[in-house]
Structure formats: C-alpha cells, structure tokens
Amino acid sequence: MLTNKHIAVIGGDARQLEVIKKLVELDARVSMVGFNQLEHGVIGANKCSLSEIVPQTIDAVIFPVHGMNIEGVIDSVFSNEKIKITKEFVNSTKETCLFFTGISNSYMEDLCNSNNRKLIKLMDRDDVAIYNSIPTAEGTILMVIQHTDTTIHGSKVAVLGPGRVGITVARSFAALGAKVKVGARKSEDIARIFEMGLEPFYMKNIQSEIQDVDICINTIPAMVLDADVISKMLPQSLIIDLASKPGGTNFRYAEKRGVKAMLAPGLPGIVAPKTAGKILAKVIVEILTKDK
Ligand code: NAP
C-alpha cells in the first residue's frame, strides 16, 4: 500500500489517469496538476495547481510519458495551462522525493542532477519496453491492415532490429501467418531468430534481402532504409517505421519512388492508452513500494 505517500502527477494524457487510479487504489494521496479540463476527475484524487502543493510534502512526482520541453514546460491534454517546473520547485522537495518521467531531456537531467534528486526514466527500462512492445505490435498490425489491400497471412514481411519491439512484432506477424524474416547484426541474434522459426539475415545484406518483401517494419533508430535500399524494394511495398524520430527511413526518397512509408511513433498511447497507462502504473508502484 502507499498509505501516507503524497504523489504529484503533473500533466500528461489518458495514460496518467490509469496511473492515478492505481495510486488512489493503493491509498496514496494524489495531487493532479494540469487536469482542470478533465470533466469528472478521479475519485479520491485532488485536482489542483502546482502552486497549491507544498513541495516538502511530496514523496514522488510523475511527469508525462513525453516529459517536458527544454524550457521545463509540461503540457497536458486535459488543460490549456503550461506548467513550468523550476529548479526552486525541485530543490524544495524532500531529498528522498522520486521523479518519474517517460523520456528525459537535458533540462530535466539538469533539474534533478543539480538538486541531487533521483530521476527514473520509465521508457529506458527493459520491463516497460517489453510490456509496451505488446500494444506497439498490435498498433503495427492495425496500420498494416489499414494500408494494404492483402492479408497479412501469406505476406512477406521483413522486421529490422531484433530488439524488444522487433522480437514482439516479428512473433506477432508470424503468428498471423506472414512469412517473416528479421534483420540483425549480431550472430547471437541471428541464432535466436532461427530458433524462433523465422528467417534471419545480416543487416549488411539488407539490399538483397529486402527486394521481394511486401511489408518492411523498421525498429532500428538509425538510417537503415536509405535511398540505395529503397531503390531495390518493390514499388508497391509498405514501410512502417517504428523507430524513434526521425526514424530509420529516407522518407523523401521513398515518396519519390512511390513506396508508401510512414513513421508511426507512440503507438501504445494511441491504440491502447489504458493498457499503456496500466503498464506505467505497475512499474511505478513496484518502484514506490520497493523503496518503502
Ligand atoms: P532495442 O531493444 O534497443 O532494439 C533496437 C534494435 O536495433 C536492436 O536489435 C539493435 O541491435 C538494433 N540496432 C540499433 N542500432 C543499429 C544499427 N546502427 N544497425 C543495425 N542494428 C541496429 O529498442 P526497442 O525497445 O526495440 O525500440 C526500438 C525503437 O522503437 C526505438 O527507437 C524506440 O524508441 C521505438 N519505439 C517505438 C514505439 C512506437 O510506438 N513506434 C514503441 C516503442 C518503442 P544491437 O543489439 O545489435 O545494437
């Protein structure tokens, strides 16, 4: 339980509502900042402004999944208010106060480092990345269905990058009956892909390996689908790029060549905000209760 813990949830989207509900269920005192346009609120949590919170009383602060901008400003889909997080605010919290964010930036790092506060970057954690790969794979399936006129079953699919997202995506498409090959650069990954019953290939051979695929799903955050590679692809093929911005595709060249290519960021929050919120809540609660 989180009885006697005071947690400030500052800004965000529908995912934060799941986090708030879980914290309330565990008896935490929750202050919600940046939720003034949320019609019904969350029973048991208190909607307020940042200035109404006494920083010394807070045990944890939860920032949105997308964090804050480099000026320290947080936005919320439930408010027009721009919430500025200052060094003074962080400095006046307890030394033991934990700060949670999805992703971080230099402003946030500096804010916490200079005040010696612990910053937990949820999206950097393996557990969050693996749980999140489930809604990401489902969102990818949705996009492929929306942008093709053939079934996934029987399609030739290449997944680039056998990481936490790539493995789940490859497994999901294979389960739907696609012929899946996976591009990797490490021999141990090649072995694992083979063990999974999928077709491995080395990324250095991408040009020849990708020539006949119908769908290419990239998870590598580096320029792997460059003009050279795309020029060898079937013009009717589809590229879904899941890698973080700017992705790993030369979108300009893809468009010129008539290959449909799209960057698809933030799928968990789009296709399954409730599940994505529950994933965050589960990990945040684990950390907060372990720290007791
Ligand atoms: P990950 O576990 O680190 O996997 C990344 C994969 O890319 C690894 O297999 C890595 O191989 C490979 N890789 C990295 N740089 C490479 C290079 N230069 N050449 C060849 N292979 C390279 O990351 P993840 O959690 O799967 O996430 C993958 C990407 O998807 C990230 O950019 C993440 O932000 C993004 N993401 C997007 C969504 C969405 O909704 N679109 C959701 C979640 C995550 P090595 O092990 O050999 O380095």
Side-chain angles (χ1 to χ4, degrees):
M1 296 297 282
L2 294 169
T3 310
N4 296 329
K5 293 265 189 196
H6 182 193
I7 299 164
V9 179
I10 305 178
D13 53 32
R15 289 174 281 188
Q16 302 316 80
L17 298 180
E18 292 306 313
V19 174
I20 294 167
K21 282 181 203 157
K22 188 70 194 171
L23 297 174
V24 169
E25 188 188 311
L26 292 171
D27 200 27
R29 177 183 157 207
V30 181
S31 298
M32 305 165 62
V33 179
F35 292 84
N36 51 310
Q37 288 173 359
L38 179 69
E39 242 175 68
H40 301 296
V42 177
I43 296 166
N46 176 37
K47 277 201 252 177
C48 61
S49 66
L50 193 59
S51 59
E52 287 173 282
I53 296 180
V54 180
Q56 291 83 356
T57 65
I58 312 173
D59 297 288
V61 176
I62 302 174
F63 296 133
V65 174
H66 58 267
M68 58 183 68
N69 72 15
I70 48 159
E71 270 120 35
V73 175
I74 289 181
D75 53 27
S76 168
V77 300
F78 302 109
S79 174
N80 294 327
E81 197 189 343
K82 300 280 172 214
I83 309 147
K84 167 100 178 163
I85 307 296
T86 61
K87 275 196 179 167
E88 291 67 39
F89 171 77
V90 174
N91 192 30
S92 48
T93 58
K94 292 186 233 180
E95 269 182 31
T96 51
C97 183
L98 296 177
F99 288 79
F100 292 87
T101 184
I103 54 170
S104 178
N105 63 14
S106 53
Y107 183 91
M108 210 187 291
E109 301 280 344
D110 184 45
L111 208 56
C112 289
N113 287 342
S114 61
N115 289 298
N116 220 6
R117 298 292 187 276
K118 192 166 176 187
L119 178 65
I120 296 151
K121 292 168 261 183
L122 293 164
M123 292 301 159
D124 279 1
R125 292 174 56 99
D126 265 344
D127 50 3
V128 174
I130 293 169
Y131 287 130
N132 257 335
S133 72
I134 302 166
T136 305
E138 289 191 12
T140 310
I141 292 167
L142 173 73
M143 290 197 68
V144 168
I145 291 171
Q146 280 172 338
H147 294 282
T148 53
D149 51 13
T150 49
T151 55
I152 290 173
H153 189 279
S155 297
K156 289 182 183 158
V157 176
V159 177
L160 308 180
R164 296 162 299 190
V165 173
I167 288 289
T168 309
V169 168
R171 210 198 303 279
S172 305
F173 277 82
L176 288 172
K179 296 177 193 111
V180 179
K181 50 163 73 174
V182 183
R185 60 178 172 181
K186 296 202 295 239
S187 60
E188 59 267 39
D189 286 332
I190 295 287
R192 175 60 67 197
I193 296 158
F194 172 79
E195 175 278 326
M196 288 170 68
L198 307 177
E199 187 189 332
F201 69 89
Y202 276 103
M203 281 299 293
K204 62 180 182 211
N205 300 327
I206 185 171
Q207 285 202 16
S208 56
E209 293 288 347
I210 214 160
Q211 283 184 6
D212 64 342
V213 303
D214 303 302
I215 299 152
C216 178
I217 300 160
N218 177 49
T219 75
I220 300 175
M223 182 50 70
V224 284
L225 290 168
D226 58 19
D228 269 355
V229 175
I230 294 172
S231 68
K232 308 285 184 314
M233 293 177 73
L234 298 170
Q236 70 273 21
S237 55
L238 170 71
I239 298 172
I240 305 281
D241 199 332
L242 300 177
S244 50
K245 277 181 193 163
T249 305
N250 184 333
F251 290 100
R252 184 200 58 78
Y253 182 77
E255 191 181 353
K256 194 169 174 184
R257 180 148 161 79
V259 171
K260 208 192 275 181
M262 53 200 72
L263 192 61
L267 289 177
I270 297 168
V271 299
K274 209 166 182 160
T275 305
K278 282 186 198 296
I279 291 167
L280 297 176
K282 179 179 163 65
V283 175
I284 291 171
V285 165
E286 259 173 39
I287 294 169
L288 287 174
T289 47
K290 201 164 70 188
D291 244 53
K292 275 213 295 193

